[in-house]
């Protein structure tokens, strides 16, 4: 049952173990409500058009999302304003899609993520954070990192911190441009500005800086 006073989450997944664990973990969070799950396109569209959904967790390996055209067609049928999308994906999948910018995706998460960590990310997303968690990193909790970013990264815009997050994964400018739906020239301008403000000499140093400061969330 959808509860309008809570953050309502729809799971578009086919990982039965993760789904089971998510429902088990959900009891610990009074501000989040799992309203359902499916791996079927028509059922997903029905949920999204008839229910109040705030966040969708979307597995990019679902059968009905086997091409950019299919993704666009599905989202055009299903998307309503203000829905936040979390993509369970890999860098290889993310690069050609431009999903983050084209479809309002606010999180790009490795599909091997644990249920507890995914719920931490859901809470961050519900509070306005962009999240990039593409590699396993349990050294610092996501909530602690989010608090850290409020003081460490106030000088950067959301776009710049998004680019820093992708730089940390070793992506080239053209791959970052594809991932965020901007031109390579725009990305180059942003990276140059980032290098100057951090006093760094290039993308390798920037990637090392980003990895040492965060691998999870950026406001």
């Amino acid at each position: 049952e959808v509860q309008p006073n809570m953050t309502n989450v729809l799971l578009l997944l086919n990982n039965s173990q993760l789904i089971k664990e998510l429902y088990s973990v959900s009891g610990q969070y009074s501000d989040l409500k799992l309203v359902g799950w499916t791996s079927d396109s028509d059922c997903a569209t029905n949920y999204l058009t008839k229910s109040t959904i705030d966040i969708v967790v979307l597995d990019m390996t679902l059968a009905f999302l086997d091409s950019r055209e299919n993704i666009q067609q599905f989202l055009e049928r299903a998307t309503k304003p203000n829905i936040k999308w979390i993509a369970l994906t890999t860098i290889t999948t993310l690069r050609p899609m431009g999903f983050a910018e084209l479809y309002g995706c606010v999180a790009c998460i490795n599909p091997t993520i644990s249920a507890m960590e995914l719920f931490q990310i859901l809470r961050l997303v519900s509070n306005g954070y962009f999240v990039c968690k593409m590699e396993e990193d349990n050294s610092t909790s996501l909530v602690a990192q989010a608090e850290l970013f409020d003081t460490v990264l106030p000088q950067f815009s959301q776009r710049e911190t998004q680019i820093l997050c992708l730089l940390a994964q070793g992506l080239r400018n053209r791959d970052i441009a594809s991932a965020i739906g901007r031109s390579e020239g725009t990305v180059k301008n942003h990276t140059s500005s980032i290098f100057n403000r951090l006093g760094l000499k290039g993308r390798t140093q920037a990637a090392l800086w980003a990895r040492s400061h965060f691998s999870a969330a950026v406001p």
Side-chain angles (χ1 to χ4, degrees), residues 9-10 13 54-60 75 83-91 93-95 97-111 113 117-135 142 158-159 161-162 165-166 169 179-180 215-219:
V9 181
L10 175 64
L13 307 175
D54 301 300
I55 301 176
V56 178
V57 180
L58 175 63
D59 184 351
M60 295 292 288
L75 292 173
I83 289 180
K84 298 178 179 179
W85 295 83
I86 295 178
L88 294 185
T89 184
T90 64
I91 287 294
T93 304
L94 179 65
R95 281 176 181 169
M97 293 301 179
F99 190 89
E101 183 65 26
L102 291 176
Y103 309 120
C105 182
V106 294
C108 302
I109 310 301
N110 194 305
I113 195 168
E117 194 167 33
L118 181 52
F119 259 95
Q120 289 179 320
I121 289 171
L122 283 166
R123 300 194 78 190
L124 288 174
V125 166
S126 69
N127 285 300
Y129 285 85
F130 169 87
V131 184
C132 185
K133 185 72 175 176
M134 304 302 295
E135 296 177 351
L142 296 172
Q158 181 173 336
R159 175 69 65 206
T161 47
Q162 185 181 14
C165 195
L166 295 172
Q169 311 305 320
I180 68 173
S215 65
V218 291

Side-chain angles (χ1 to χ4, degrees), residues 139-195:
S139 59
T140 307
S141 76
L142 296 172
V143 173
Q145 289 195 39
E147 293 172 349
L148 177 66
F149 300 144
D150 287 336
T151 56
V152 172
L153 298 175
Q155 60 184 313
F156 295 115
S157 67
Q158 181 173 336
R159 175 69 65 206
E160 288 168 332
T161 47
Q162 185 181 14
I163 289 172
L164 261 173
C165 195
L166 295 172
L167 273 174
Q169 311 305 320
L171 269 69
R172 297 167 295 180
N173 282 352
R174 67 183 181 185
D175 296 321
I176 294 174
S178 177
I180 68 173
R182 289 291 186 267
S183 70
E184 190 172 348
T186 297
V187 172
K188 185 177 180 180
N189 289 337
H190 279 305
T191 55
S192 295
S193 177
I194 290 168
F195 300 160

